[in-house]
PDB file of all heavy atoms in Angstrom:
ATOM      1  N   ALA A   1     110.925  29.566 -70.737  1.00  0.00           N
ATOM      2  CA  ALA A   1     112.248  29.334 -71.307  1.00  0.00           C
ATOM      3  C   ALA A   1     113.310  30.105 -70.540  1.00  0.00           C
ATOM      4  O   ALA A   1     114.408  29.602 -70.271  1.00  0.00           O
ATOM      5  CB  ALA A   1     112.258  29.746 -72.777  1.00  0.00           C
ATOM      6  N   ASN A   2     112.973  31.341 -70.176  1.00  0.00           N
ATOM      7  CA  ASN A   2     113.890  32.180 -69.407  1.00  0.00           C
ATOM      8  C   ASN A   2     114.159  31.556 -68.042  1.00  0.00           C
ATOM      9  O   ASN A   2     115.300  31.281 -67.669  1.00  0.00           O
ATOM     10  CB  ASN A   2     113.257  33.572 -69.255  1.00  0.00           C
ATOM     11  CG  ASN A   2     114.238  34.603 -68.731  1.00  0.00           C
ATOM     12  OD1 ASN A   2     115.249  34.285 -68.124  1.00  0.00           O
ATOM     13  ND2 ASN A   2     113.927  35.865 -68.954  1.00  0.00           N
ATOM     14  N   ALA A   3     113.088  31.308 -67.283  1.00  0.00           N
ATOM     15  CA  ALA A   3     113.236  30.766 -65.932  1.00  0.00           C
ATOM     16  C   ALA A   3     113.788  29.351 -65.948  1.00  0.00           C
ATOM     17  O   ALA A   3     114.605  28.974 -65.091  1.00  0.00           O
ATOM     18  CB  ALA A   3     111.883  30.795 -65.217  1.00  0.00           C
ATOM     19  N   GLY A   4     113.375  28.553 -66.930  1.00  0.00           N
ATOM     20  CA  GLY A   4     113.892  27.185 -67.022  1.00  0.00           C
ATOM     21  C   GLY A   4     115.387  27.149 -67.285  1.00  0.00           C
ATOM     22  O   GLY A   4     116.113  26.322 -66.720  1.00  0.00           O
ATOM     23  N   GLY A   5     115.864  28.064 -68.131  1.00  0.00           N
ATOM     24  CA  GLY A   5     117.299  28.136 -68.382  1.00  0.00           C
ATOM     25  C   GLY A   5     118.063  28.570 -67.151  1.00  0.00           C
ATOM     26  O   GLY A   5     119.117  28.000 -66.811  1.00  0.00           O
ATOM     27  N   LEU A   6     117.547  29.579 -66.456  1.00  0.00           N
ATOM     28  CA  LEU A   6     118.187  30.046 -65.224  1.00  0.00           C
ATOM     29  C   LEU A   6     118.231  28.930 -64.178  1.00  0.00           C
ATOM     30  O   LEU A   6     119.246  28.743 -63.495  1.00  0.00           O
ATOM     31  CB  LEU A   6     117.424  31.254 -64.669  1.00  0.00           C
ATOM     32  CG  LEU A   6     117.465  32.531 -65.520  1.00  0.00           C
ATOM     33  CD1 LEU A   6     116.473  33.553 -64.980  1.00  0.00           C
ATOM     34  CD2 LEU A   6     118.864  33.126 -65.552  1.00  0.00           C
ATOM     35  N   ALA A   7     117.141  28.184 -64.053  1.00  0.00           N
ATOM     36  CA  ALA A   7     117.079  27.092 -63.080  1.00  0.00           C
ATOM     37  C   ALA A   7     118.066  25.986 -63.431  1.00  0.00           C
ATOM     38  O   ALA A   7     118.829  25.506 -62.582  1.00  0.00           O
ATOM     39  CB  ALA A   7     115.654  26.538 -63.020  1.00  0.00           C
ATOM     40  N   THR A   8     118.067  25.578 -64.683  1.00  0.00           N
ATOM     41  CA  THR A   8     118.936  24.481 -65.108  1.00  0.00           C
ATOM     42  C   THR A   8     120.405  24.841 -64.958  1.00  0.00           C
ATOM     43  O   THR A   8     121.225  23.999 -64.559  1.00  0.00           O
ATOM     44  CB  THR A   8     118.632  24.110 -66.572  1.00  0.00           C
ATOM     45  OG1 THR A   8     117.255  23.753 -66.689  1.00  0.00           O
ATOM     46  CG2 THR A   8     119.493  22.949 -67.041  1.00  0.00           C
ATOM     47  N   GLY A   9     120.758  26.077 -65.261  1.00  0.00           N
ATOM     48  CA  GLY A   9     122.151  26.498 -65.125  1.00  0.00           C
ATOM     49  C   GLY A   9     122.644  26.371 -63.701  1.00  0.00           C
ATOM     50  O   GLY A   9     123.764  25.888 -63.448  1.00  0.00           O
ATOM     51  N   ASN A  10     121.822  26.775 -62.738  1.00  0.00           N
ATOM     52  CA  ASN A  10     122.198  26.646 -61.331  1.00  0.00           C
ATOM     53  C   ASN A  10     122.458  25.198 -60.946  1.00  0.00           C
ATOM     54  O   ASN A  10     123.478  24.869 -60.345  1.00  0.00           O
ATOM     55  CB  ASN A  10     121.089  27.216 -60.437  1.00  0.00           C
ATOM     56  CG  ASN A  10     121.081  28.729 -60.399  1.00  0.00           C
ATOM     57  OD1 ASN A  10     121.953  29.341 -59.822  1.00  0.00           O
ATOM     58  ND2 ASN A  10     120.089  29.322 -61.032  1.00  0.00           N
ATOM     59  N   LEU A  11     121.488  24.326 -61.263  1.00  0.00           N
ATOM     60  CA  LEU A  11     121.600  22.928 -60.861  1.00  0.00           C
ATOM     61  C   LEU A  11     122.707  22.217 -61.631  1.00  0.00           C
ATOM     62  O   LEU A  11     123.495  21.454 -61.051  1.00  0.00           O
ATOM     63  CB  LEU A  11     120.263  22.217 -61.081  1.00  0.00           C
ATOM     64  CG  LEU A  11     120.178  20.789 -60.554  1.00  0.00           C
ATOM     65  CD1 LEU A  11     120.410  20.760 -59.055  1.00  0.00           C
ATOM     66  CD2 LEU A  11     118.826  20.176 -60.897  1.00  0.00           C
ATOM     67  N   LEU A  12     122.787  22.479 -62.925  1.00  0.00           N
ATOM     68  CA  LEU A  12     123.795  21.832 -63.758  1.00  0.00           C
ATOM     69  C   LEU A  12     125.205  22.181 -63.291  1.00  0.00           C
ATOM     70  O   LEU A  12     126.074  21.304 -63.177  1.00  0.00           O
ATOM     71  CB  LEU A  12     123.603  22.253 -65.215  1.00  0.00           C
ATOM     72  CG  LEU A  12     124.495  21.578 -66.260  1.00  0.00           C
ATOM     73  CD1 LEU A  12     124.205  20.089 -66.319  1.00  0.00           C
ATOM     74  CD2 LEU A  12     124.283  22.212 -67.628  1.00  0.00           C
ATOM     75  N   GLY A  13     125.436  23.468 -62.991  1.00  0.00           N
ATOM     76  CA  GLY A  13     126.756  23.872 -62.524  1.00  0.00           C
ATOM     77  C   GLY A  13     127.124  23.181 -61.227  1.00  0.00           C
ATOM     78  O   GLY A  13     128.260  22.693 -61.059  1.00  0.00           O
ATOM     79  N   GLY A  14     126.176  23.086 -60.285  1.00  0.00           N
ATOM     80  CA  GLY A  14     126.460  22.450 -59.012  1.00  0.00           C
ATOM     81  C   GLY A  14     126.700  20.964 -59.132  1.00  0.00           C
ATOM     82  O   GLY A  14     127.635  20.418 -58.526  1.00  0.00           O
ATOM     83  N   VAL A  15     125.867  20.280 -59.916  1.00  0.00           N
ATOM     84  CA  VAL A  15     126.019  18.828 -60.070  1.00  0.00           C
ATOM     85  C   VAL A  15     127.326  18.490 -60.780  1.00  0.00           C
ATOM     86  O   VAL A  15     128.082  17.612 -60.345  1.00  0.00           O
ATOM     87  CB  VAL A  15     124.809  18.247 -60.829  1.00  0.00           C
ATOM     88  CG1 VAL A  15     125.061  16.797 -61.213  1.00  0.00           C
ATOM     89  CG2 VAL A  15     123.549  18.353 -59.986  1.00  0.00           C
ATOM     90  N   LEU A  16     127.619  19.171 -61.874  1.00  0.00           N
ATOM     91  CA  LEU A  16     128.845  18.887 -62.613  1.00  0.00           C
ATOM     92  C   LEU A  16     130.083  19.208 -61.780  1.00  0.00           C
ATOM     93  O   LEU A  16     131.103  18.507 -61.859  1.00  0.00           O
ATOM     94  CB  LEU A  16     128.873  19.679 -63.920  1.00  0.00           C
ATOM     95  CG  LEU A  16     127.855  19.247 -64.976  1.00  0.00           C
ATOM     96  CD1 LEU A  16     127.942  20.131 -66.218  1.00  0.00           C
ATOM     97  CD2 LEU A  16     128.067  17.783 -65.364  1.00  0.00           C
ATOM     98  N   ALA A  17     130.006  20.261 -60.961  1.00  0.00           N
ATOM     99  CA  ALA A  17     131.138  20.588 -60.092  1.00  0.00           C
ATOM    100  C   ALA A  17     131.364  19.503 -59.053  1.00  0.00           C
ATOM    101  O   ALA A  17     132.506  19.258 -58.638  1.00  0.00           O
ATOM    102  CB  ALA A  17     130.898  21.929 -59.399  1.00  0.00           C
ATOM    103  N   SER A  18     130.289  18.828 -58.631  1.00  0.00           N
ATOM    104  CA  SER A  18     130.400  17.792 -57.607  1.00  0.00           C
ATOM    105  C   SER A  18     130.930  16.474 -58.161  1.00  0.00           C
ATOM    106  O   SER A  18     131.589  15.725 -57.440  1.00  0.00           O
ATOM    107  CB  SER A  18     129.033  17.550 -56.945  1.00  0.00           C
ATOM    108  OG  SER A  18     128.576  18.712 -56.291  1.00  0.00           O
ATOM    109  N   VAL A  19     130.650  16.187 -59.425  1.00  0.00           N
ATOM    110  CA  VAL A  19     131.025  14.876 -59.985  1.00  0.00           C
ATOM    111  C   VAL A  19     132.233  14.950 -60.903  1.00  0.00           C
ATOM    112  O   VAL A  19     132.796  13.911 -61.263  1.00  0.00           O
ATOM    113  CB  VAL A  19     129.835  14.251 -60.750  1.00  0.00           C
ATOM    114  CG1 VAL A  19     128.631  14.104 -59.827  1.00  0.00           C
ATOM    115  CG2 VAL A  19     129.460  15.075 -61.977  1.00  0.00           C
ATOM    116  N   SER A  20     132.649  16.148 -61.286  1.00  0.00           N
ATOM    117  CA  SER A  20     133.748  16.278 -62.243  1.00  0.00           C
ATOM    118  C   SER A  20     135.047  16.623 -61.537  1.00  0.00           C
ATOM    119  O   SER A  20     135.057  17.337 -60.523  1.00  0.00           O
ATOM    120  CB  SER A  20     133.411  17.365 -63.274  1.00  0.00           C
ATOM    121  OG  SER A  20     134.527  17.628 -64.090  1.00  0.00           O
ATOM    122  N   SER A  21     136.134  16.147 -62.099  1.00  0.00           N
ATOM    123  CA  SER A  21     137.452  16.506 -61.568  1.00  0.00           C
ATOM    124  C   SER A  21     137.880  17.891 -62.045  1.00  0.00           C
ATOM    125  O   SER A  21     138.861  18.440 -61.551  1.00  0.00           O
ATOM    126  CB  SER A  21     138.491  15.467 -62.003  1.00  0.00           C
ATOM    127  OG  SER A  21     138.551  15.387 -63.430  1.00  0.00           O
ATOM    128  N   ALA A  22     137.156  18.429 -63.019  1.00  0.00           N
ATOM    129  CA  ALA A  22     137.449  19.779 -63.530  1.00  0.00           C
ATOM    130  C   ALA A  22     136.207  20.642 -63.295  1.00  0.00           C
ATOM    131  O   ALA A  22     135.494  21.009 -64.230  1.00  0.00           O
ATOM    132  CB  ALA A  22     137.820  19.733 -65.003  1.00  0.00           C
ATOM    133  N   ALA A  23     135.958  20.963 -62.008  1.00  0.00           N
ATOM    134  CA  ALA A  23     134.715  21.631 -61.628  1.00  0.00           C
ATOM    135  C   ALA A  23     134.536  22.986 -62.282  1.00  0.00           C
ATOM    136  O   ALA A  23     133.402  23.428 -62.511  1.00  0.00           O
ATOM    137  CB  ALA A  23     134.663  21.787 -60.103  1.00  0.00           C
ATOM    138  N   LEU A  24     135.637  23.675 -62.608  1.00  0.00           N
ATOM    139  CA  LEU A  24     135.552  25.014 -63.183  1.00  0.00           C
ATOM    140  C   LEU A  24     135.671  25.009 -64.708  1.00  0.00           C
ATOM    141  O   LEU A  24     135.798  26.070 -65.316  1.00  0.00           O
ATOM    142  CB  LEU A  24     136.641  25.909 -62.582  1.00  0.00           C
ATOM    143  CG  LEU A  24     136.576  26.111 -61.065  1.00  0.00           C
ATOM    144  CD1 LEU A  24     137.695  27.035 -60.598  1.00  0.00           C
ATOM    145  CD2 LEU A  24     135.218  26.663 -60.643  1.00  0.00           C
ATOM    146  N   VAL A  25     135.611  23.828 -65.302  1.00  0.00           N
ATOM    147  CA  VAL A  25     135.719  23.727 -66.759  1.00  0.00           C
ATOM    148  C   VAL A  25     134.525  22.991 -67.363  1.00  0.00           C
ATOM    149  O   VAL A  25     133.898  23.468 -68.312  1.00  0.00           O
ATOM    150  CB  VAL A  25     137.027  23.013 -67.163  1.00  0.00           C
ATOM    151  CG1 VAL A  25     137.057  22.753 -68.679  1.00  0.00           C
ATOM    152  CG2 VAL A  25     138.237  23.841 -66.752  1.00  0.00           C
ATOM    153  N   THR A  26     134.189  21.822 -66.806  1.00  0.00           N
ATOM    154  CA  THR A  26     133.162  20.957 -67.394  1.00  0.00           C
ATOM    155  C   THR A  26     131.821  21.647 -67.628  1.00  0.00           C
ATOM    156  O   THR A  26     131.223  21.493 -68.706  1.00  0.00           O
ATOM    157  CB  THR A  26     132.958  19.709 -66.515  1.00  0.00           C
ATOM    158  OG1 THR A  26     134.213  19.038 -66.349  1.00  0.00           O
ATOM    159  CG2 THR A  26     131.950  18.761 -67.139  1.00  0.00           C
ATOM    160  N   PRO A  27     131.286  22.435 -66.669  1.00  0.00           N
ATOM    161  CA  PRO A  27     129.986  23.080 -66.926  1.00  0.00           C
ATOM    162  C   PRO A  27     129.995  23.984 -68.146  1.00  0.00           C
ATOM    163  O   PRO A  27     129.012  24.031 -68.898  1.00  0.00           O
ATOM    164  CB  PRO A  27     129.744  23.893 -65.642  1.00  0.00           C
ATOM    165  CG  PRO A  27     130.538  23.198 -64.588  1.00  0.00           C
ATOM    166  CD  PRO A  27     131.766  22.709 -65.295  1.00  0.00           C
ATOM    167  N   TYR A  28     131.100  24.684 -68.353  1.00  0.00           N
ATOM    168  CA  TYR A  28     131.160  25.630 -69.466  1.00  0.00           C
ATOM    169  C   TYR A  28     131.348  24.919 -70.808  1.00  0.00           C
ATOM    170  O   TYR A  28     130.845  25.384 -71.833  1.00  0.00           O
ATOM    171  CB  TYR A  28     132.282  26.636 -69.221  1.00  0.00           C
ATOM    172  CG  TYR A  28     132.146  27.342 -67.891  1.00  0.00           C
ATOM    173  CD1 TYR A  28     133.081  27.160 -66.876  1.00  0.00           C
ATOM    174  CD2 TYR A  28     131.053  28.159 -67.627  1.00  0.00           C
ATOM    175  CE1 TYR A  28     132.945  27.788 -65.648  1.00  0.00           C
ATOM    176  CE2 TYR A  28     130.897  28.795 -66.407  1.00  0.00           C
ATOM    177  CZ  TYR A  28     131.851  28.600 -65.411  1.00  0.00           C
ATOM    178  OH  TYR A  28     131.708  29.215 -64.195  1.00  0.00           O
ATOM    179  N   VAL A  29     132.038  23.794 -70.797  1.00  0.00           N
ATOM    180  CA  VAL A  29     132.169  23.006 -72.032  1.00  0.00           C
ATOM    181  C   VAL A  29     130.797  22.502 -72.467  1.00  0.00           C
ATOM    182  O   VAL A  29     130.448  22.547 -73.657  1.00  0.00           O
ATOM    183  CB  VAL A  29     133.143  21.834 -71.824  1.00  0.00           C
ATOM    184  CG1 VAL A  29     133.134  20.899 -73.031  1.00  0.00           C
ATOM    185  CG2 VAL A  29     134.566  22.356 -71.586  1.00  0.00           C
ATOM    186  N   MET A  30     130.020  22.013 -71.499  1.00  0.00           N
ATOM    187  CA  MET A  30     128.676  21.548 -71.831  1.00  0.00           C
ATOM    188  C   MET A  30     127.817  22.689 -72.374  1.00  0.00           C
ATOM    189  O   MET A  30     127.041  22.503 -73.322  1.00  0.00           O
ATOM    190  CB  MET A  30     128.014  20.924 -70.603  1.00  0.00           C
ATOM    191  CG  MET A  30     126.611  20.404 -70.862  1.00  0.00           C
ATOM    192  SD  MET A  30     125.987  19.327 -69.562  1.00  0.00           S
ATOM    193  CE  MET A  30     127.032  17.884 -69.812  1.00  0.00           C
ATOM    194  N   HIS A  31     127.954  23.885 -71.793  1.00  0.00           N
ATOM    195  CA  HIS A  31     127.169  25.008 -72.273  1.00  0.00           C
ATOM    196  C   HIS A  31     127.557  25.402 -73.692  1.00  0.00           C
ATOM    197  O   HIS A  31     126.694  25.807 -74.488  1.00  0.00           O
ATOM    198  CB  HIS A  31     127.330  26.211 -71.348  1.00  0.00           C
ATOM    199  CG  HIS A  31     126.568  27.406 -71.822  1.00  0.00           C
ATOM    200  ND1 HIS A  31     127.166  28.550 -72.282  1.00  0.00           N
ATOM    201  CD2 HIS A  31     125.221  27.616 -71.941  1.00  0.00           C
ATOM    202  CE1 HIS A  31     126.237  29.406 -72.658  1.00  0.00           C
ATOM    203  NE2 HIS A  31     125.056  28.879 -72.460  1.00  0.00           N
ATOM    204  N   LEU A  32     128.814  25.285 -74.026  1.00  0.00           N
ATOM    205  CA  LEU A  32     129.233  25.550 -75.409  1.00  0.00           C
ATOM    206  C   LEU A  32     128.490  24.636 -76.379  1.00  0.00           C
ATOM    207  O   LEU A  32     128.047  25.071 -77.450  1.00  0.00           O
ATOM    208  CB  LEU A  32     130.742  25.348 -75.550  1.00  0.00           C
ATOM    209  CG  LEU A  32     131.638  26.516 -75.152  1.00  0.00           C
ATOM    210  CD1 LEU A  32     133.107  26.090 -75.229  1.00  0.00           C
ATOM    211  CD2 LEU A  32     131.408  27.711 -76.056  1.00  0.00           C
ATOM    212  N   GLY A  33     128.344  23.370 -75.998  1.00  0.00           N
ATOM    213  CA  GLY A  33     127.617  22.433 -76.853  1.00  0.00           C
ATOM    214  C   GLY A  33     126.166  22.836 -77.031  1.00  0.00           C
ATOM    215  O   GLY A  33     125.616  22.791 -78.147  1.00  0.00           O
ATOM    216  N   LEU A  34     125.511  23.260 -75.949  1.00  0.00           N
ATOM    217  CA  LEU A  34     124.126  23.724 -76.036  1.00  0.00           C
ATOM    218  C   LEU A  34     124.002  24.942 -76.950  1.00  0.00           C
ATOM    219  O   LEU A  34     123.046  25.053 -77.730  1.00  0.00           O
ATOM    220  CB  LEU A  34     123.604  24.082 -74.639  1.00  0.00           C
ATOM    221  CG  LEU A  34     123.375  22.951 -73.651  1.00  0.00           C
ATOM    222  CD1 LEU A  34     122.942  23.509 -72.301  1.00  0.00           C
ATOM    223  CD2 LEU A  34     122.352  21.957 -74.168  1.00  0.00           C
ATOM    224  N   SER A  35     124.976  25.845 -76.872  1.00  0.00           N
ATOM    225  CA  SER A  35     124.942  27.056 -77.694  1.00  0.00           C
ATOM    226  C   SER A  35     125.049  26.719 -79.172  1.00  0.00           C
ATOM    227  O   SER A  35     124.354  27.303 -80.010  1.00  0.00           O
ATOM    228  CB  SER A  35     126.076  28.005 -77.284  1.00  0.00           C
ATOM    229  OG  SER A  35     125.944  28.395 -75.929  1.00  0.00           O
ATOM    230  N   VAL A  36     125.913  25.770 -79.512  1.00  0.00           N
ATOM    231  CA  VAL A  36     126.075  25.365 -80.917  1.00  0.00           C
ATOM    232  C   VAL A  36     124.778  24.755 -81.444  1.00  0.00           C
ATOM    233  O   VAL A  36     124.330  25.063 -82.557  1.00  0.00           O
ATOM    234  CB  VAL A  36     127.246  24.372 -81.051  1.00  0.00           C
ATOM    235  CG1 VAL A  36     127.275  23.770 -82.455  1.00  0.00           C
ATOM    236  CG2 VAL A  36     128.574  25.070 -80.763  1.00  0.00           C
ATOM    237  N   ILE A  37     124.160  23.881 -80.654  1.00  0.00           N
ATOM    238  CA  ILE A  37     122.894  23.269 -81.061  1.00  0.00           C
ATOM    239  C   ILE A  37     121.831  24.336 -81.275  1.00  0.00           C
ATOM    240  O   ILE A  37     121.050  24.293 -82.242  1.00  0.00           O
ATOM    241  CB  ILE A  37     122.428  22.253 -80.003  1.00  0.00           C
ATOM    242  CG1 ILE A  37     123.395  21.076 -79.947  1.00  0.00           C
ATOM    243  CG2 ILE A  37     121.015  21.767 -80.306  1.00  0.00           C
ATOM    244  CD1 ILE A  37     123.139  20.119 -78.795  1.00  0.00           C
ATOM    245  N   ALA A  38     121.796  25.327 -80.391  1.00  0.00           N
ATOM    246  CA  ALA A  38     120.800  26.399 -80.512  1.00  0.00           C
ATOM    247  C   ALA A  38     121.003  27.217 -81.773  1.00  0.00           C
ATOM    248  O   ALA A  38     120.029  27.603 -82.448  1.00  0.00           O
ATOM    249  CB  ALA A  38     120.864  27.302 -79.280  1.00  0.00           C
ATOM    250  N   VAL A  39     122.258  27.518 -82.113  1.00  0.00           N
ATOM    251  CA  VAL A  39     122.549  28.265 -83.342  1.00  0.00           C
ATOM    252  C   VAL A  39     122.073  27.487 -84.564  1.00  0.00           C
ATOM    253  O   VAL A  39     121.424  28.041 -85.475  1.00  0.00           O
ATOM    254  CB  VAL A  39     124.047  28.568 -83.442  1.00  0.00           C
ATOM    255  CG1 VAL A  39     124.409  29.079 -84.849  1.00  0.00           C
ATOM    256  CG2 VAL A  39     124.464  29.597 -82.404  1.00  0.00           C
ATOM    257  N   ILE A  40     122.370  26.195 -84.602  1.00  0.00           N
ATOM    258  CA  ILE A  40     121.943  25.360 -85.732  1.00  0.00           C
ATOM    259  C   ILE A  40     120.415  25.353 -85.834  1.00  0.00           C
ATOM    260  O   ILE A  40     119.841  25.471 -86.923  1.00  0.00           O
ATOM    261  CB  ILE A  40     122.491  23.924 -85.567  1.00  0.00           C
ATOM    262  CG1 ILE A  40     124.015  23.927 -85.678  1.00  0.00           C
ATOM    263  CG2 ILE A  40     121.885  23.001 -86.623  1.00  0.00           C
ATOM    264  CD1 ILE A  40     124.658  22.597 -85.350  1.00  0.00           C
ATOM    265  N   GLY A  41     119.747  25.218 -84.688  1.00  0.00           N
ATOM    266  CA  GLY A  41     118.288  25.197 -84.694  1.00  0.00           C
ATOM    267  C   GLY A  41     117.683  26.491 -85.218  1.00  0.00           C
ATOM    268  O   GLY A  41     116.737  26.474 -86.017  1.00  0.00           O
ATOM    269  N   LEU A  42     118.226  27.626 -84.774  1.00  0.00           N
ATOM    270  CA  LEU A  42     117.708  28.911 -85.250  1.00  0.00           C
ATOM    271  C   LEU A  42     117.883  29.068 -86.753  1.00  0.00           C
ATOM    272  O   LEU A  42     116.976  29.516 -87.465  1.00  0.00           O
ATOM    273  CB  LEU A  42     118.409  30.058 -84.526  1.00  0.00           C
ATOM    274  CG  LEU A  42     117.953  30.404 -83.109  1.00  0.00           C
ATOM    275  CD1 LEU A  42     118.791  31.545 -82.558  1.00  0.00           C
ATOM    276  CD2 LEU A  42     116.474  30.794 -83.085  1.00  0.00           C
ATOM    277  N   CYS A  43     119.066  28.725 -87.233  1.00  0.00           N
ATOM    278  CA  CYS A  43     119.354  28.905 -88.667  1.00  0.00           C
ATOM    279  C   CYS A  43     118.513  27.976 -89.539  1.00  0.00           C
ATOM    280  O   CYS A  43     118.125  28.337 -90.652  1.00  0.00           O
ATOM    281  CB  CYS A  43     120.838  28.659 -88.934  1.00  0.00           C
ATOM    282  SG  CYS A  43     121.928  29.916 -88.221  1.00  0.00           S
ATOM    283  N   ALA A  44     118.217  26.776 -89.026  1.00  0.00           N
ATOM    284  CA  ALA A  44     117.512  25.792 -89.838  1.00  0.00           C
ATOM    285  C   ALA A  44     115.995  25.887 -89.732  1.00  0.00           C
ATOM    286  O   ALA A  44     115.290  25.556 -90.694  1.00  0.00           O
ATOM    287  CB  ALA A  44     117.963  24.380 -89.434  1.00  0.00           C
ATOM    288  N   LEU A  45     115.489  26.368 -88.613  1.00  0.00           N
ATOM    289  CA  LEU A  45     114.060  26.214 -88.347  1.00  0.00           C
ATOM    290  C   LEU A  45     113.277  27.512 -88.211  1.00  0.00           C
ATOM    291  O   LEU A  45     112.045  27.484 -88.142  1.00  0.00           O
ATOM    292  CB  LEU A  45     113.859  25.394 -87.063  1.00  0.00           C
ATOM    293  CG  LEU A  45     114.448  23.985 -87.084  1.00  0.00           C
ATOM    294  CD1 LEU A  45     114.327  23.346 -85.703  1.00  0.00           C
ATOM    295  CD2 LEU A  45     113.759  23.120 -88.142  1.00  0.00           C
ATOM    296  N   THR A  46     113.940  28.647 -88.150  1.00  0.00           N
ATOM    297  CA  THR A  46     113.212  29.913 -88.011  1.00  0.00           C
ATOM    298  C   THR A  46     113.268  30.704 -89.310  1.00  0.00           C
ATOM    299  O   THR A  46     114.229  30.583 -90.081  1.00  0.00           O
ATOM    300  CB  THR A  46     113.793  30.766 -86.867  1.00  0.00           C
ATOM    301  OG1 THR A  46     115.170  31.054 -87.131  1.00  0.00           O
ATOM    302  CG2 THR A  46     113.695  30.029 -85.547  1.00  0.00           C
ATOM    303  N   PRO A  47     112.259  31.508 -89.585  1.00  0.00           N
ATOM    304  CA  PRO A  47     112.219  32.244 -90.860  1.00  0.00           C
ATOM    305  C   PRO A  47     113.263  33.347 -90.916  1.00  0.00           C
ATOM    306  O   PRO A  47     113.685  33.884 -89.884  1.00  0.00           O
ATOM    307  CB  PRO A  47     110.800  32.834 -90.866  1.00  0.00           C
ATOM    308  CG  PRO A  47     110.420  32.925 -89.427  1.00  0.00           C
ATOM    309  CD  PRO A  47     111.067  31.758 -88.753  1.00  0.00           C
TER     310      PRO A  47
END
């Protein structure tokens, strides 16, 4: 999970920067969405 997250962040940032007109914004907006999903998952599924 640690290494997979580190790997995905590198590739995701580069790909989104190449295809987006807002290279310094789009990657971080997507990460905000992932963080919200993770918070919901922890609260709903962990003891």
Side-chain angles (χ1 to χ4, degrees):
N2 192 339
L6 294 170
T8 302
N10 283 289
L11 187 60
L12 185 64
V15 170
L16 291 178
S18 298
V19 302
S20 172
S21 59
L24 299 181
V25 173
T26 304
Y28 305 114
V29 172
M30 180 166 290
H31 178 248
L32 277 175
L34 291 176
S35 299
V36 171
I37 294 171
V39 168
I40 294 172
L42 281 179
C43 292
L45 300 173
T46 60

